[in-house]
Amino acid sequence: MGLPDDAAEARAQGWRTLAALHARIEDELERALQKQHGLSVSEYSVLDVLARQDDYHLRMNQLSNAVVLSQSATTRLVNRLEDRQLLQRYLCPTDRRGIYTEVTQAGRDLLEQAEPTHDAVLTAALEKAAELPELAPLVDALDNLPLKV
Amino acid sequence: MGLPDDAAEARAQGWRTLAALHARIEDELERALQKQHGLSVSEYSVLDVLARQDDYHLRMNQLSNAVVLSQSATTRLVNRLEDRQLLQRYLCPTDRRGIYTEVTQAGRDLLEQAEPTHDAVLTAALEKAAELPELAPLVDALDNLPLKV
DNA sequence: GCGCTATGATTGCTCATGCAATCAGTCAGA
DNA sequence: TCTGACTGATTGCATGAGCAATCATAGCGC
């Protein structure tokens, strides 16, 4: 139980742990993906999110929500990927304000190449984090997260 | 158990959950702290980390490690805070390559003002996240994280 | 059908970040 | 004491991000 302040401090500490773990993992992913596949973490996320859609496409709007970026950042991110022909844009036929983005075959190929790197780095980063006493509990919790069906 | 691929997918999903929760919380913290106290999340973190040191100071090096930023980013971050007189730099007396940063009274005051905002936004963000089925399990796990003594 | 408001995406601008190069100070070895 | 390798911090440069303004299309109310 404890005082209200304890609850606040507990939340703050949980957040610091979360933030620290996140930053460390993202840092390593960023370096590895950049170096080995020329992808940033955001770029990887976009390709990954799109590839996991049933029909490989999404609106800009949904995309920026999925990767938690601003609309403008999403526009430019999609620009970069489109320039590299990893995805395509096309107008939504029923609402011409909307624009769909769709991974291309090249995008899926690159993603397939990058996945092993992503997983390896993620695994290594989690193992390293598990050795730090302040991060270990969260790593554990992450391992035991119930899976989506 | 399952195949190795399942393990990889589980880790990836855990990471996506972590990243999504982190991004959402950080987003809200950033806006609120910026608007109400003129602080970015990084800036708040620096003040917070320093204030939680026994003697309120840390080397640049340790600081960049604590907030997970590059050295150069840390230099500039400290510059900004020093310009606002929220912290001070001073040479390490025993090794003049090293530079200590120390929160000033003004920094501690500002931090004290910002803390309630920080906690309120954090609490709200966690509650909101707990309503999303894909984030709820992690929020739960965070609540049950063992506390540092 | 005609405006008016709302929604979706893009652009201009500014700024924080990372990498690589650099500068300053330390320390070991000749 | 001097030299060279090393560590700690800062600067030059390029880039990705957010905010606010803008443009294009939809769709409602008259």
Side-chain angles (χ1 to χ4, degrees):
Chain A
M1 298 290 157
L3 303 161
D5 270 2
D6 286 352
E9 175 52 23
R11 270 190 302 269
Q13 189 177 317
W15 162 243
R16 285 196 295 271
T17 307
L18 179 72
L21 181 60
H22 175 269
R24 280 177 162 72
I25 296 176
E26 184 167 56
D27 221 56
E28 304 210 18
L29 279 178
E30 179 74 36
R31 267 184 251 275
L33 290 176
Q34 194 61 257
K35 183 172 235 179
Q36 296 180 37
H37 308 280
L39 286 172
S40 71
V41 172
S42 308
E43 288 164 352
Y44 181 90
S45 299
V46 166
L47 294 181
D48 184 53
V49 166
L50 288 177
R52 267 183 298 103
Q53 299 309 116
D54 282 341
D55 36 12
Y56 299 126
H57 73 203
L58 227 46
R59 277 175 172 237
M60 295 297 290
N61 225 349
Q62 307 172 286
L63 197 53
S64 41
N65 189 50
V67 295
V68 196
L69 281 178
S70 66
Q71 279 195 323
S72 59
T74 307
T75 291
R76 290 181 243 251
L77 182 43
V78 167
N79 281 344
R80 293 198 297 276
L81 293 174
E82 192 179 29
D83 287 346
R84 292 170 61 186
Q85 301 177 347
L86 300 174
L87 55 75
Q88 275 186 321
R89 263 185 248 243
Y90 60 90
L91 286 173
C92 169
T94 62
D95 180 348
R96 303 198 341 187
R97 288 169 307 184
I99 292 189
Y100 282 122
T101 53
E102 184 179 58
V103 232
T104 60
Q105 186 59 49
R108 292 203 290 279
D109 290 346
L110 180 57
L111 188 60
E112 207 173 313
Q113 288 169 32
E115 247 158 22
T117 305
H118 186 271
D119 185 51
V121 171
L122 182 54
T123 304
L126 284 171
E127 272 169 18
K128 205 167 15 162
E131 289 166 15
L132 298 176
E134 70 273 25
L135 297 184
L138 182 53
V139 176
D140 267 4
L142 214 55
D143 283 341
N144 296 322
L145 230 48
L147 284 177
K148 214 186 314 181
V149 212
Chain B
M1 300 295 157
L3 303 162
D5 270 2
D6 285 352
E9 175 51 24
R11 271 191 300 270
Q13 190 177 314
W15 162 244
R16 284 196 296 271
T17 308
L18 178 72
L21 181 61
H22 174 270
R24 279 176 163 74
I25 296 177
E26 183 168 56
D27 221 55
E28 304 210 19
L29 280 178
E30 179 73 35
R31 268 185 251 274
L33 290 176
Q34 195 61 258
K35 182 173 234 175
Q36 297 180 38
H37 308 280
L39 286 172
S40 71
V41 172
S42 307
E43 288 164 353
Y44 180 90
S45 298
V46 166
L47 295 180
D48 183 52
V49 166
L50 287 176
R52 269 183 299 102
Q53 299 309 118
D54 283 340
D55 36 12
Y56 297 126
H57 74 204
L58 227 45
R59 277 175 171 237
M60 297 295 292
N61 225 348
Q62 306 171 288
L63 196 54
S64 42
N65 190 50
V67 296
V68 195
L69 280 178
S70 67
Q71 281 195 321
S72 60
T74 307
T75 291
R76 284 163 183 142
L77 182 43
V78 166
N79 282 343
R80 293 198 297 275
L81 293 174
E82 192 179 30
D83 288 346
R84 291 170 62 185
Q85 300 174 348
L86 300 174
L87 55 76
Q88 277 186 320
R89 264 186 248 241
Y90 60 90
L91 285 174
C92 169
T94 61
D95 180 346
R96 304 194 345 186
R97 288 169 306 185
I99 292 187
Y100 282 123
T101 53
E102 184 181 56
V103 232
T104 60
Q105 185 59 49
R108 292 202 291 277
D109 290 348
L110 180 56
L111 189 60
E112 206 173 314
Q113 288 170 30
E115 245 158 22
T117 306
H118 186 270
D119 186 50
V121 172
L122 182 55
T123 303
L126 284 171
E127 272 169 17
K128 205 166 16 159
E131 289 166 16
L132 298 175
E134 69 273 27
L135 297 184
L138 182 53
V139 176
D140 267 3
L142 214 53
D143 283 340
N144 296 322
L145 229 48
L147 284 178
K148 214 187 311 184
V149 211

